[in-house]
Amino acid sequence: MSTSIDLPVLTPKDFASDQEVRWCPRCGDYSILAQVKKVLPTLGIPKENFVFVSGIGCSSRFPYYMNTYGMHSIHGRAPAIATGLKVVRPDLQVWVITGDGDALSIGGNHFMHMIRRNVNLKVILFNNQIYGLTKGQYSPTSPQGKRTKSTPYGSVDAPLTPVSVALGARASFVARSVDVDIQHLCMVLERAAHHKGTAVVEVYQDCNVFNSGAFDFASKKGEKEENCIYLEHGKPLIFGKARDKGVRLNSQNQPEIVELGKGISEDDLLFHDEKADDPTLAFLLSQMRYPDSPEPMGVFRAIDRPTYDDELNDQVRDVTEKLGPASLEAMLNSGDTWTVA
Amino acid sequence: MSAVDAETNGNFRTTEQVDAVVIRFCGDSGDGMQLVGTQFTNVSAVFGNDVSTLPDFPAEIRAPAGTLGGVSGYQLCFSSTDIYTPGDEVDTLVAMNPAALKTNLADLKRGGTLIVNADAFGKSDLSKAGYESNPLDDDDALAGYRVHKIDMTRLTRDAVADLGLSLKEADRCKNFFALGLVYWLYDRDPSTTQEWVKSKFAKRPELAQANLAALKAGSDIGYSTQAFTVHYKVPPAKLPPGKYRKITGNEAVAFGLVTAAHVSGKELFYAGYPITPASDILHELSKLKNFGVRTAQVEDEIAAITAAVGASFGGAFAVTASSGPGIALKSEGIGLGVITELPMVIVNVQRGGPSTGLPTKTEQADLLMSMFGRNGECPMPIVSCSTPGDAFDAAREAMRLAVEFMTPVFLLSDGYIANGAEPWKIPNLSDLKPIDFKHTREPNGKDGEYLPYLRNDRLVRPWAVPGTPGLEHRVGGLEKWDVTGNVSYDADNHQHMIDTRAKKVAGIADHIPEQPVEGPDSGELLVVSWGGTYGSIRTAVQRAQRAGHSVSLAHIRYLSPFPRNLGDLLKRFDKVLVPELNNGQLRFLLRAKYLVDAQGLNKMKGKPFLVSEVYDAILQHLGKA
Ligand SMILES: Cc1ncc(C[n+]2csc(CCOP(=O)(O)OP(=O)(O)O)c2C)c(N)n1
Ligand code: SF4
């Protein structure tokens, strides 16, 4: 008989903390919380080995609502905190919870460096294209011209596209989903959880108080099929309720929307390759933004790359092997020494 | 004492025995002055002298060659008695070019020896240094010094002529020529340097040979030139018995932290961002990976402190170091460390400020920033280093307080300590006590709960780390309910938490030594000092004591909380004098806390105190000036 010690079977409930969830009614954050609680028990990781690290913003309250280890930190710095933690504790699965303002404004620097180092972290970037917690100023992802409290005449800033930023830093895993698209979000989170390296998941999140409906195009049944392209590795880029439209590259190597039939077949379309070594095509896809074109959803990129935490810890091991185990005696006596009798 | 010895070539020279000598090498920043200064320090230390050094380099890495802005200097004092400073006045000045002469001559004492590279005093060199005529020809200007104009460039080229070097390579050896000459002048055994050259240039044997030849040519000139009528002997110092090495403050900080962690069975995590004069701590620790030290050069100082917070949450011993501007960036992250009550050490190697200030020069102006430079009521312990060697103990002490009291701790060093070197008695490993790193593994509440802010009798919370089953909890920057650690906006709880964090830090006073006094513990004048000014101030106080004055010294290591007897001590003296390389920051704290009429001696010139400056101030405050 097998005597293997089975991990206790966990359920979403086991991950619920005793703290009252305090987001506005109907905030998109609830759905994301629920999907995370659904995905974690499937991973075969003991509950105590999860850590949620967040910055500041509505979404960053997240760790309080999870019955795991967690840190609600300061604005924008969660990637750096999580990097320090992951480096000293590679045994833990560390999730970073951040908002569009948190990750891309104040924390832009850390966000980029976490990604280029490929620290083995799972990142959920709650993008509501607004500052929720500070009550409705425009964010670095808000469209130009956005009228908010701090931009009564419309913002003049050009927005960032989080997926493009991540790809620009050569992210090993980047995906996008929507808060209410439960199955798709679960799929993407699960894939992120299994990825080794920085896994950035941008989630379109409805802030129904300050930016209501910003992502209706990607949430509403009947509309989203027309407005979004659901990426699948190895499959052609097809969209539309009737799956009658596709994307191909034109002679300038720019994406172009075409109707299937009338001499255009699936084989003429762009095929999604999330494992491509070169992120160029993924970047092109990330630049397809609604309403100018349908927006890709799903996994843009998923490649293998060494992780920072592994490299750093391997180096410690290698150097120890080479130099031999530490000797304080040798360290303190290094250089020229002399004895006074 | 004086003797006459017959040299082999028939010259008769006087050998003078002296107690202490101050030498300064200065030249262009490309001339290798730091290197020869370090070599001289090493051979003197190995010989058994006490040594104290003051490297001084320009902020620009490569200022235009030969200009006043590009002068690099290295001063050292070596002695047959205990010394605490690199000296006020220079006995022997080696100037490699006109710019170096111009910027350093004022520090050479009357009657002192001046050695110049006469080859470097051509027209364009002179004009780059702003000389209208050659000062070497101006007998009036150099009257009162023993001047030796030596064609170092030419003599160096001759010495290496057979080795097939390019002219540029040959000329680069002239610092060794100068060193050889000074070795001869002070009767130093060059073998340590010879070994160093051989190993340094192991891959370029012709360069090793050239530098050795230049070194020898330099000392040969000493032998053969009639001009050098005296040479000097400085006998070994009577240092306490033991095994010694030379150490700089930055090395000592790195060694102290690694040692404390290692004897406690912990590994160190260090995150930093390069900044002068703190970078060497990162460099030193990066070499020590076989101690399990994990170092990360991260994207900025904010990332460094927050990575330290994350590592500490994970149970590692976390450290970050920087200098003023970087510490300013870290403030918010340090506050997070304070409210989450996680241990870590933050080293501030102070330099001249504000803003980028004087990057390569020393100052003590970040004391109030360490004390108050964070938002909210955010008290933190502060430990300071007094000398390069002392930084080893101060670093270990900072780590002890951090862990025993679950708090970030400031360790204050400065540019003078960081780059300065002194002989350091290598400690006996068995004397170094481990720090008690305790991680809670069991629930501490009833019903098997874990209460992250349930405090012990020192008001210290437990340190449970992720991965421990059953102790899952959340920490963060929002105010906490005491005991449960849940978020709380409750008015009374906030007051209670502020009071509690302050009380915890204040309580450290019961776990640090009382303030020692050098001299009688009451009298006319108490000099109070902290940090890297210790050497000059101690020397000045001792001089005043020997002259029969009623002066004592309290040099404070623990700046927050202050030692419990400090207030009492201050009141036992008629007057209190606080010399500081800032505008009166410690004085401000002492006045505020103890209501004493402390007076200041303040200097902000990017330079340490001269002993004479402090001595004069002491006499003045005693009414004896
Ligand atoms: C240093 C600092 N600056 C500013 C703030 C104020 N602040 C808190 S949250 C926030 C923006 C949050 O926006 P986002 O990341 O999009 O999160 P959301 O609230 O929309 O979830 C700001 C500016 C702060 N807490 N700290
Ligand atoms: S303000 Fe917006 S983002 Fe914040 S909780 Fe309310 S709905 Fe959610």
Side-chain angles (χ1 to χ4, degrees):
Chain A
M1 230 182 80
S2 142
T3 54
S4 74
I5 309 160
D6 290 318
L7 289 170
V9 179
L10 295 168
T11 67
K13 257 201 172 140
D14 293 311
F15 286 94
S17 81
D18 58 356
Q19 300 297 297
E20 189 193 337
V21 183
R22 290 252 185 100
W23 287 309
C24 305
R26 295 190 309 281
C27 174
D29 291 356
Y30 286 97
S31 170
I32 305 174
L33 176 65
Q35 306 333 313
V36 171
K37 281 194 214 152
K38 245 188 254 171
V39 168
L40 296 197
T42 69
L43 301 176
I45 296 172
K47 186 164 67 91
E48 64 272 14
N49 283 2
F50 287 105
V51 187
F52 282 81
V53 180
S54 65
I56 296 289
C58 292
S59 56
S60 287
R61 299 296 179 94
F62 195 99
Y64 293 124
Y65 310 139
M66 298 291 299
N67 185 18
T68 61
Y69 286 93
M71 184 185 290
H72 175 225
S73 72
I74 49 178
H75 202 16
R77 318 302 172 196
I81 293 174
T83 299
L85 171 62
K86 183 67 186 171
V87 160
V88 301
R89 295 295 305 277
D91 55 315
L92 304 172
Q93 183 170 91
V94 183
W95 290 71
V96 171
I97 304 294
T98 183
D100 44 316
D102 194 59
L104 297 168
S105 263
I106 195 164
N109 191 25
H110 310 303
F111 184 70
M112 169 175 92
H113 287 279
M114 158 186 67
I115 293 172
R116 70 142 169 120
R117 292 190 181 108
N118 201 29
V119 190
N120 192 358
L121 299 168
K122 324 296 153 210
V123 186
I124 311 180
L125 195 169
F126 292 50
N127 186 359
N128 51 17
Q129 293 187 349
I130 202 83
Y131 283 10
L133 193 73
T134 46
K135 300 204 165 76
Q137 300 84 1
Y138 76 116
S139 91
T141 55
S142 301
Q144 208 162 20
K146 176 87 181 166
R147 286 174 193 272
T148 71
K149 277 189 193 135
S150 59
T151 52
Y153 306 113
S155 90
V156 295
D157 299 22
L160 283 172
T161 301
V163 172
S164 299
V165 172
L167 287 167
R170 303 187 87 80
S172 60
F173 184 99
V174 200
R176 177 153 67 205
S177 191
V178 187
D179 51 9
V180 291
D181 201 342
I182 292 172
Q183 270 177 3
H184 189 261
L185 180 55
C186 275
M187 177 278 285
V188 162
L189 290 173
E190 200 177 325
R191 288 212 43 202
H194 288 291
H195 177 75
K196 200 159 180 275
T198 305
V200 178
V201 179
E202 179 192 19
V203 185
Y204 284 160
Q205 171 241 326
D206 190 45
C207 170
N208 66 305
V209 174
F210 297 112
N211 203 18
S212 182
F215 304 108
D216 281 356
F217 76 92
S219 322
K220 286 206 168 144
K221 268 230 160 65
E223 288 180 30
K224 64 178 183 186
E225 294 80 359
E226 292 299 321
N227 300 333
C228 299
I229 302 170
Y230 293 89
L231 300 172
E232 283 181 80
H233 180 60
K235 303 259 174 73
L237 266 61
I238 296 179
F239 68 104
K241 240 190 298 191
R243 299 191 60 74
D244 54 349
K245 288 184 285 265
V247 178
R248 71 172 181 189
L249 289 186
N250 66 17
S251 53
Q252 274 89 50
N253 272 332
Q254 289 302 309
E256 170 181 75
I257 310 300
V258 290
E259 276 188 40
L260 287 172
K262 299 174 195 153
I264 294 178
S265 75
E266 282 191 7
D267 288 345
D268 299 319
L269 299 181
L270 191 55
F271 280 66
H272 184 46
D273 180 6
E274 62 183 33
K275 303 204 181 313
D277 229 26
D278 184 328
T280 309
L281 269 181
F283 187 83
L284 264 189
L285 294 179
S286 77
Q287 291 290 296
M288 296 176 64
R289 302 300 306 268
Y290 179 85
D292 300 329
S293 61
E295 263 192 44
M297 291 286 160
V299 178
F300 287 71
R301 192 165 200 238
I303 61 155
D304 280 338
R305 236 181 81 191
T307 70
Y308 177 75
D309 30 319
D310 274 355
E311 299 265 295
L312 202 145
N313 285 299
D314 286 352
Q315 189 175 59
V316 168
R317 259 188 302 275
D318 291 350
V319 174
T320 308
E321 244 166 61
K322 209 158 111 203
L323 299 183
S327 154
L328 283 179
E329 198 77 46
M331 176 184 84
L332 298 179
N333 285 278
S334 56
D336 298 321
T337 62
W338 66 95
T339 302
V340 174
Chain B
M1 200 169 93
S2 150
V4 175
D5 60 342
E7 300 293 346
T8 43
N9 63 3
N11 291 335
F12 285 86
R13 306 290 173 96
T14 310
T15 305
E16 257 180 49
Q17 181 163 320
V18 285
D19 285 343
V21 171
V22 178
I23 301 183
R24 188 185 293 172
F25 295 95
C26 54
D28 193 66
S29 52
D31 280 343
M33 295 294 98
Q34 303 298 326
L35 195 153
V36 294
T38 309
Q39 285 301 316
F40 200 102
T41 306
N42 287 352
V43 300
S44 300
V46 171
F47 175 69
N49 293 125
D50 198 359
V51 267
S52 175
T53 72
L54 176 63
D56 183 26
F57 18 73
E60 294 79 17
I61 301 299
R62 284 280 176 267
T67 59
L68 299 175
V71 175
S72 168
Y74 192 105
Q75 179 169 325
L76 65 111
C77 177
F78 61 107
S79 163
S80 59
T81 57
D82 270 15
I83 43 162
Y84 315 113
T85 80
D88 283 7
E89 286 186 302
V90 175
D91 296 301
T92 292
L93 179 68
V94 179
M96 302 300 282
N97 67 10
L101 181 67
K102 192 168 204 182
T103 45
N104 287 278
L105 187 62
D107 296 336
L108 181 60
K109 84 165 162 225
R110 289 274 130 189
T113 302
L114 172 66
I115 301 173
V116 290
N117 177 14
D119 284 332
F121 282 68
K123 232 189 174 144
S124 82
D125 306 302
L126 290 168
S127 87
K128 270 188 256 171
Y131 277 119
E132 281 170 10
S133 61
N134 191 342
L136 302 186
D137 301 335
D138 181 353
D139 288 340
D140 284 347
L142 299 182
Y145 304 114
R146 296 191 217 178
V147 185
H148 301 283
K149 306 172 208 175
I150 298 178
D151 295 336
M152 292 193 202
T153 311
R154 181 180 57 79
L155 291 166
T156 304
R157 285 180 192 171
D158 290 351
V160 305
D162 302 335
L163 297 168
L165 302 188
S166 69
L167 205 58
K168 203 169 153 201
E169 284 174 325
D171 285 355
R172 292 200 63 163
C173 298
K174 65 179 182 296
N175 60 337
F176 275 87
F177 181 93
L179 182 63
L181 174 54
V182 186
Y183 277 175
W184 175 82
L185 193 59
Y186 289 103
D187 203 25
R188 306 277 92 177
D189 173 2
S191 53
T192 307
T193 296
Q194 287 163 339
E195 289 312 311
W196 181 87
V197 168
K198 281 180 209 157
S199 78
K200 166 87 185 171
F201 296 108
K203 290 203 180 106
R204 302 270 322 260
E206 74 283 9
L207 289 185
Q209 255 184 302
N211 281 302
L212 293 175
L215 189 71
K216 179 160 183 310
S219 56
D220 287 351
I221 279 290
Y223 275 114
S224 54
T225 312
Q226 296 281 341
F228 290 95
T229 50
V230 244
H231 77 156
Y232 303 88
K233 272 193 181 1
V234 179
K238 283 178 207 67
L239 297 172
K243 195 171 176 197
Y244 284 78
R245 60 168 287 155
K246 193 194 71 169
I247 202 160
T248 67
N250 276 340
E251 278 171 341
V253 165
F255 286 0
L257 292 168
V258 170
T259 302
H262 197 68
V263 299
S264 315
K266 264 281 170 188
E267 292 178 350
L268 203 70
F269 173 78
Y270 178 93
Y273 188 74
I275 185 168
T276 305
S279 301
D280 279 338
I281 297 175
L282 168 62
H283 304 162
E284 285 302 323
L285 288 172
S286 304
K287 291 184 216 158
L288 298 171
K289 294 241 149 92
N290 62 330
F291 285 84
V293 177
R294 280 170 275 205
T295 56
Q297 180 184 317
V298 289
E299 54 271 21
D300 61 21
E301 285 85 353
I302 302 176
I305 181 66
T306 47
V309 171
S312 180
F313 185 54
F317 192 82
V319 181
T320 181
S322 190
S323 188
I327 299 292
L329 282 178
K330 288 179 200 282
S331 308
E332 191 193 13
I334 297 173
L336 179 65
V338 169
I339 198 168
T340 52
E341 302 189 41
L342 286 167
M344 69 202 71
V345 169
I346 299 132
V347 188
N348 182 355
V349 186
Q350 300 162 93
R351 65 189 214 181
S355 187
T356 308
L358 305 179
T360 60
K361 314 285 175 187
T362 200
E363 203 164 271
Q364 295 184 294
D366 297 345
L367 174 57
L368 293 182
M369 174 166 79
S370 312
M371 201 78 179
F372 304 120
R374 292 167 296 284
N375 63 300
E377 290 292 337
C378 194
M380 264 175 77
I382 306 171
V383 178
S384 65
C385 314
S386 313
T387 70
D390 176 64
F392 180 80
D393 298 324
R396 289 169 39 243
E397 187 62 352
M399 187 186 278
R400 175 184 77 86
L401 296 180
V403 172
E404 287 184 4
F405 292 87
M406 291 290 285
T407 175
V409 173
F410 260 119
L411 175 64
L412 295 185
S413 175
D414 62 44
Y416 173 67
I417 296 175
N419 294 319
E422 64 178 355
W424 178 63
K425 194 171 150 196
I426 299 167
N428 198 337
L429 286 177
S430 55
D431 295 343
L432 305 175
K433 280 200 221 100
I435 298 166
D436 197 3
F437 280 87
K438 258 194 236 108
H439 293 305
T440 306
R441 305 215 178 274
E442 302 297 332
N444 57 355
K446 44 183 172 19
D447 314 326
E449 276 177 294
Y450 174 62
L451 300 167
Y453 282 76
L454 183 67
R455 297 168 188 281
N456 68 13
D457 53 356
R458 292 181 181 187
L459 303 176
V460 176
R461 79 175 192 88
W463 190 10
V465 298
T468 316
L471 308 192
E472 289 86 347
H473 68 282
R474 274 71 52 199
V475 295
L478 286 173
E479 185 60 285
K480 305 279 169 290
W481 275 111
D482 207 359
V483 182
T484 66
N486 290 331
V487 173
S488 162
Y489 294 103
D490 182 89
D492 292 335
N493 175 71
H494 181 50
Q495 177 83 48
H496 166 72
M497 286 301 270
I498 285 179
D499 293 345
T500 304
R501 287 187 289 261
K503 242 194 201 152
K504 176 179 89 165
V505 172
I508 292 176
D510 293 333
H511 303 273
I512 58 174
E514 291 204 339
Q515 177 60 47
V517 202
E518 301 185 32
D521 65 3
S522 64
E524 281 179 49
L525 181 67
L526 180 68
V527 178
V528 183
S529 61
W530 69 280
T533 54
Y534 180 56
S536 340
I537 295 175
R538 179 182 184 189
T539 309
V541 168
Q542 284 183 350
R543 190 181 291 173
Q545 287 168 339
R546 276 198 297 267
H549 300 300
S550 170
V551 189
S552 298
L553 171 65
H555 184 79
I556 306 180
R557 154 169 286 182
Y558 300 91
L559 295 156
S560 168
F562 283 131
R564 53 195 177 280
N565 63 328
L566 184 62
D568 221 35
L569 185 64
L570 294 169
K571 296 197 169 96
R572 290 207 296 271
F573 289 81
D574 302 338
K575 288 183 167 180
V576 174
L577 173 67
V578 190
E580 292 175 88
L581 300 177
N582 61 40
N583 228 346
Q585 302 197 1
L586 175 63
R587 178 165 45 109
F588 175 88
L589 294 174
L590 295 176
R591 281 173 160 257
K593 177 143 193 192
Y594 300 112
L595 301 177
V596 290
D597 184 23
Q599 299 296 311
L601 169 66
N602 303 96
K603 164 168 158 177
M604 286 140 287
K605 299 185 172 186
K607 288 180 180 172
F609 280 121
L610 299 178
V611 174
S612 55
E613 289 170 332
V614 182
Y615 184 73
D616 292 348
I618 290 172
L619 293 192
Q620 205 189 335
H621 284 274
L622 288 169
K624 304 273 164 62

